[in-house]
Amino acid sequence: MPEFLEKVTATAPSNIALVKYWGKRDKELNLPLTSSFSVSLSEMNSTATIEESPTNEDIWEIYGNPNKAKRVLEAARLSTQDRRPLKISITNNFPSGAGLASSASSMAALAKALNLFLAKGEMSLDTISHWARVGSGSAVRSLHKGFVLWEAGSDDFGEDCLAHTAFEASHFPLALTVCVVDDRPKPISSTQAMEISRKTSPLYDRFHEQNADYIEKVIQAVREKNFDILTEVSEANCQAMHAVMRTSNPSIDYFQIGTNKAIECVLRMRRQGIPCFFSIDAGPNVKIFSPPEYADVVFQNCRQLKDLRKVLRDFVA
Ligand code: PMV
């Protein structure tokens, strides 16, 4: 047996926040100002593969800029003191960098794979979560399944900044339809955009002051399996985050024509008695949640829309 594993692979799911994170209390450690609440998906995920580099340098096979991943690797090296050069590849089975949480799932998959390769799988979930978080804040949520609460905590080093599954997916089954308006990487990263909002948006503080209320309501909605309350809270929180972005200077607007068409479609379906709600992150794509028995009709309605590149399907798992 070799002393070390030769090649390891780990996967992690994408997650979509229903109560969103849009502001940091520590930029270096990616500690959020407030808590967030998300759902982890079944089909959209990232896979990280690690083996020893055949050269004296790290080799990155990763979509786009590897800076976030380099931060995760450095955190893992600090914890394990293992500095062998590595060959790291990360793939996503869905569009990358377009507000579909690919950095969350890819940094979570990378942290899990580093734990296998550098620590033989022996690091605690808290440590793996710390590694993932320094790459991308929301990656912490992709380490857990179902309905996930990521608590902001107050410790300066993020010791209490952890996520956990608040409810299993089976407690309140939800389907997801994703209207892909644009699958190219976003023009401005969420990290840059958050910083512009912090410095300039008059709504930034208000958004964070209301967070505790949103979190309480979203937990109540899921606990009571109340789709109407979940609709109200999720859309209000999403709109509030985008209002913070739009009132930033320069104004940040990730929406495109197809985004507004998909929102109109959601409102139209609701008027027709189809329960569904939308959520949009740092990108133009629209995620539409519905009870699973309505997933087909939501999908058919979305497929009729112009200005979309494609429509994807998934579910909370
Ligand atoms: O973790 P980041 O830096 O990719 O930021 C994620 C920000 C949003 O997706 C817009 C909101 C969220 O909570 O996922």
Side-chain angles (χ1 to χ4, degrees), residues 17 20-22 103 136-138 141 190-191 194 241 281-282:
K20 297 183 187 289
Y21 144 61
W22 195 252
S103 69
S136 173
S138 52
R141 300 188 308 236
S190 42
T191 301
M194 275 184 213
M241 179 183 74
D281 292 291

PDB file of all heavy atoms in Angstrom, residues 17 20-22 103 136-138 141 190-191 194 241 281-282, ligand 1:
ATOM      1  N   ALA A  17     -29.611  30.017  -1.930  1.00  0.00           N
ATOM      2  CA  ALA A  17     -30.064  30.636  -0.673  1.00  0.00           C
ATOM      3  C   ALA A  17     -31.472  31.197  -0.825  1.00  0.00           C
ATOM      4  O   ALA A  17     -31.785  31.862  -1.816  1.00  0.00           O
ATOM      5  CB  ALA A  17     -29.099  31.746  -0.276  1.00  0.00           C
ATOM      6  N   LYS A  20     -30.596  35.347   1.880  1.00  0.00           N
ATOM      7  CA  LYS A  20     -29.295  35.458   1.242  1.00  0.00           C
ATOM      8  C   LYS A  20     -28.222  36.175   2.054  1.00  0.00           C
ATOM      9  O   LYS A  20     -28.529  36.941   2.960  1.00  0.00           O
ATOM     10  CB  LYS A  20     -29.470  36.141  -0.114  1.00  0.00           C
ATOM     11  CG  LYS A  20     -30.352  35.279  -1.025  1.00  0.00           C
ATOM     12  CD  LYS A  20     -30.502  35.847  -2.381  1.00  0.00           C
ATOM     13  CE  LYS A  20     -31.518  35.088  -3.218  1.00  0.00           C
ATOM     14  NZ  LYS A  20     -31.077  33.738  -3.634  1.00  0.00           N
ATOM     15  N   TYR A  21     -27.004  35.900   1.642  1.00  0.00           N
ATOM     16  CA  TYR A  21     -25.809  36.480   2.250  1.00  0.00           C
ATOM     17  C   TYR A  21     -25.307  37.571   1.301  1.00  0.00           C
ATOM     18  O   TYR A  21     -25.036  37.299   0.138  1.00  0.00           O
ATOM     19  CB  TYR A  21     -24.817  35.323   2.430  1.00  0.00           C
ATOM     20  CG  TYR A  21     -23.346  35.558   2.248  1.00  0.00           C
ATOM     21  CD1 TYR A  21     -22.646  36.463   3.053  1.00  0.00           C
ATOM     22  CD2 TYR A  21     -22.634  34.823   1.293  1.00  0.00           C
ATOM     23  CE1 TYR A  21     -21.266  36.619   2.886  1.00  0.00           C
ATOM     24  CE2 TYR A  21     -21.269  34.966   1.140  1.00  0.00           C
ATOM     25  CZ  TYR A  21     -20.592  35.872   1.926  1.00  0.00           C
ATOM     26  OH  TYR A  21     -19.246  36.022   1.759  1.00  0.00           O
ATOM     27  N   TRP A  22     -25.267  38.802   1.767  1.00  0.00           N
ATOM     28  CA  TRP A  22     -24.747  39.867   0.881  1.00  0.00           C
ATOM     29  C   TRP A  22     -23.979  40.882   1.726  1.00  0.00           C
ATOM     30  O   TRP A  22     -24.369  42.038   1.860  1.00  0.00           O
ATOM     31  CB  TRP A  22     -25.873  40.545   0.076  1.00  0.00           C
ATOM     32  CG  TRP A  22     -25.348  41.354  -1.066  1.00  0.00           C
ATOM     33  CD1 TRP A  22     -25.301  42.719  -1.167  1.00  0.00           C
ATOM     34  CD2 TRP A  22     -24.756  40.851  -2.274  1.00  0.00           C
ATOM     35  NE1 TRP A  22     -24.707  43.090  -2.353  1.00  0.00           N
ATOM     36  CE2 TRP A  22     -24.362  41.963  -3.049  1.00  0.00           C
ATOM     37  CE3 TRP A  22     -24.498  39.555  -2.759  1.00  0.00           C
ATOM     38  CZ2 TRP A  22     -23.742  41.827  -4.293  1.00  0.00           C
ATOM     39  CZ3 TRP A  22     -23.883  39.423  -3.996  1.00  0.00           C
ATOM     40  CH2 TRP A  22     -23.518  40.551  -4.741  1.00  0.00           C
ATOM     41  N   SER A 103     -19.247  28.384  -7.503  1.00  0.00           N
ATOM     42  CA  SER A 103     -18.073  28.512  -6.629  1.00  0.00           C
ATOM     43  C   SER A 103     -18.368  27.863  -5.284  1.00  0.00           C
ATOM     44  O   SER A 103     -17.480  27.279  -4.668  1.00  0.00           O
ATOM     45  CB  SER A 103     -17.603  29.965  -6.494  1.00  0.00           C
ATOM     46  OG  SER A 103     -18.515  30.723  -5.768  1.00  0.00           O
ATOM     47  N   SER A 136     -14.935  30.478  -0.816  1.00  0.00           N
ATOM     48  CA  SER A 136     -16.227  31.101  -1.134  1.00  0.00           C
ATOM     49  C   SER A 136     -17.117  30.935   0.088  1.00  0.00           C
ATOM     50  O   SER A 136     -17.307  29.807   0.565  1.00  0.00           O
ATOM     51  CB  SER A 136     -16.833  30.379  -2.342  1.00  0.00           C
ATOM     52  OG  SER A 136     -18.132  30.842  -2.566  1.00  0.00           O
ATOM     53  N   GLY A 137     -17.657  32.051   0.584  1.00  0.00           N
ATOM     54  CA  GLY A 137     -18.464  31.993   1.808  1.00  0.00           C
ATOM     55  C   GLY A 137     -19.556  30.944   1.715  1.00  0.00           C
ATOM     56  O   GLY A 137     -19.675  30.048   2.556  1.00  0.00           O
ATOM     57  N   SER A 138     -20.335  31.029   0.642  1.00  0.00           N
ATOM     58  CA  SER A 138     -21.508  30.157   0.541  1.00  0.00           C
ATOM     59  C   SER A 138     -21.143  28.678   0.369  1.00  0.00           C
ATOM     60  O   SER A 138     -22.022  27.811   0.432  1.00  0.00           O
ATOM     61  CB  SER A 138     -22.402  30.619  -0.601  1.00  0.00           C
ATOM     62  OG  SER A 138     -21.649  30.749  -1.787  1.00  0.00           O
ATOM     63  N   ARG A 141     -22.305  26.150   3.005  1.00  0.00           N
ATOM     64  CA  ARG A 141     -23.644  25.542   2.953  1.00  0.00           C
ATOM     65  C   ARG A 141     -23.658  24.296   2.075  1.00  0.00           C
ATOM     66  O   ARG A 141     -24.477  23.413   2.266  1.00  0.00           O
ATOM     67  CB  ARG A 141     -24.655  26.587   2.435  1.00  0.00           C
ATOM     68  CG  ARG A 141     -24.744  27.838   3.336  1.00  0.00           C
ATOM     69  CD  ARG A 141     -25.885  28.748   2.901  1.00  0.00           C
ATOM     70  NE  ARG A 141     -25.827  29.049   1.493  1.00  0.00           N
ATOM     71  CZ  ARG A 141     -25.779  30.271   0.954  1.00  0.00           C
ATOM     72  NH1 ARG A 141     -25.825  31.348   1.743  1.00  0.00           N
ATOM     73  NH2 ARG A 141     -25.727  30.451  -0.344  1.00  0.00           N
ATOM     74  N   SER A 190     -19.232  38.369  -7.069  1.00  0.00           N
ATOM     75  CA  SER A 190     -20.041  38.690  -5.886  1.00  0.00           C
ATOM     76  C   SER A 190     -19.182  39.363  -4.815  1.00  0.00           C
ATOM     77  O   SER A 190     -19.662  40.257  -4.117  1.00  0.00           O
ATOM     78  CB  SER A 190     -20.767  37.458  -5.349  1.00  0.00           C
ATOM     79  OG  SER A 190     -19.949  36.348  -5.353  1.00  0.00           O
ATOM     80  N   THR A 191     -17.915  38.977  -4.718  1.00  0.00           N
ATOM     81  CA  THR A 191     -17.033  39.598  -3.715  1.00  0.00           C
ATOM     82  C   THR A 191     -16.873  41.096  -4.003  1.00  0.00           C
ATOM     83  O   THR A 191     -17.035  41.930  -3.102  1.00  0.00           O
ATOM     84  CB  THR A 191     -15.643  38.918  -3.745  1.00  0.00           C
ATOM     85  OG1 THR A 191     -15.836  37.529  -3.481  1.00  0.00           O
ATOM     86  CG2 THR A 191     -14.692  39.503  -2.723  1.00  0.00           C
ATOM     87  N   MET A 194     -20.305  42.901  -3.452  1.00  0.00           N
ATOM     88  CA  MET A 194     -20.648  43.066  -2.028  1.00  0.00           C
ATOM     89  C   MET A 194     -19.915  44.265  -1.430  1.00  0.00           C
ATOM     90  O   MET A 194     -20.452  45.010  -0.623  1.00  0.00           O
ATOM     91  CB  MET A 194     -20.232  41.823  -1.219  1.00  0.00           C
ATOM     92  CG  MET A 194     -21.234  40.720  -1.224  1.00  0.00           C
ATOM     93  SD  MET A 194     -20.671  39.382  -0.143  1.00  0.00           S
ATOM     94  CE  MET A 194     -21.330  37.982  -1.025  1.00  0.00           C
ATOM     95  N   MET A 241     -32.228  41.969  -1.566  1.00  0.00           N
ATOM     96  CA  MET A 241     -30.803  41.897  -1.913  1.00  0.00           C
ATOM     97  C   MET A 241     -30.529  42.620  -3.235  1.00  0.00           C
ATOM     98  O   MET A 241     -29.553  43.375  -3.360  1.00  0.00           O
ATOM     99  CB  MET A 241     -30.334  40.446  -2.012  1.00  0.00           C
ATOM    100  CG  MET A 241     -28.866  40.333  -2.385  1.00  0.00           C
ATOM    101  SD  MET A 241     -28.289  38.642  -2.595  1.00  0.00           S
ATOM    102  CE  MET A 241     -29.024  38.206  -4.163  1.00  0.00           C
ATOM    103  N   ASP A 281     -29.677  35.098  -7.919  1.00  0.00           N
ATOM    104  CA  ASP A 281     -28.450  35.448  -7.195  1.00  0.00           C
ATOM    105  C   ASP A 281     -27.602  36.425  -8.007  1.00  0.00           C
ATOM    106  O   ASP A 281     -28.148  37.234  -8.726  1.00  0.00           O
ATOM    107  CB  ASP A 281     -27.719  34.151  -6.801  1.00  0.00           C
ATOM    108  CG  ASP A 281     -28.531  33.411  -5.749  1.00  0.00           C
ATOM    109  OD1 ASP A 281     -28.620  33.910  -4.631  1.00  0.00           O
ATOM    110  OD2 ASP A 281     -29.122  32.363  -6.066  1.00  0.00           O
ATOM    111  N   ALA A 282     -26.297  36.333  -7.875  1.00  0.00           N
ATOM    112  CA  ALA A 282     -25.431  37.293  -8.565  1.00  0.00           C
ATOM    113  C   ALA A 282     -25.249  36.864 -10.019  1.00  0.00           C
ATOM    114  O   ALA A 282     -24.167  36.459 -10.440  1.00  0.00           O
ATOM    115  CB  ALA A 282     -24.100  37.396  -7.839  1.00  0.00           C
TER     116      ALA A 282
HETATM  117  O1  PMV B   1     -20.203  32.939  -1.615  1.00  0.00           O
HETATM  118  P1  PMV B   1     -20.197  33.983  -2.657  1.00  0.00           P
HETATM  119  O2  PMV B   1     -19.090  34.945  -2.473  1.00  0.00           O
HETATM  120  O3  PMV B   1     -20.246  33.408  -4.060  1.00  0.00           O
HETATM  121  O4  PMV B   1     -21.546  34.881  -2.489  1.00  0.00           O
HETATM  122  C1  PMV B   1     -22.841  34.362  -2.705  1.00  0.00           C
HETATM  123  C2  PMV B   1     -23.819  35.455  -2.767  1.00  0.00           C
HETATM  124  C3  PMV B   1     -25.222  35.115  -3.248  1.00  0.00           C
HETATM  125  O5  PMV B   1     -25.215  33.943  -4.047  1.00  0.00           O
HETATM  126  C4  PMV B   1     -25.732  36.262  -4.102  1.00  0.00           C
HETATM  127  C5  PMV B   1     -26.187  34.946  -2.090  1.00  0.00           C
HETATM  128  C6  PMV B   1     -26.078  33.643  -1.332  1.00  0.00           C
HETATM  129  O6  PMV B   1     -26.292  33.683  -0.101  1.00  0.00           O
HETATM  130  O7  PMV B   1     -25.821  32.598  -1.937  1.00  0.00           O
END
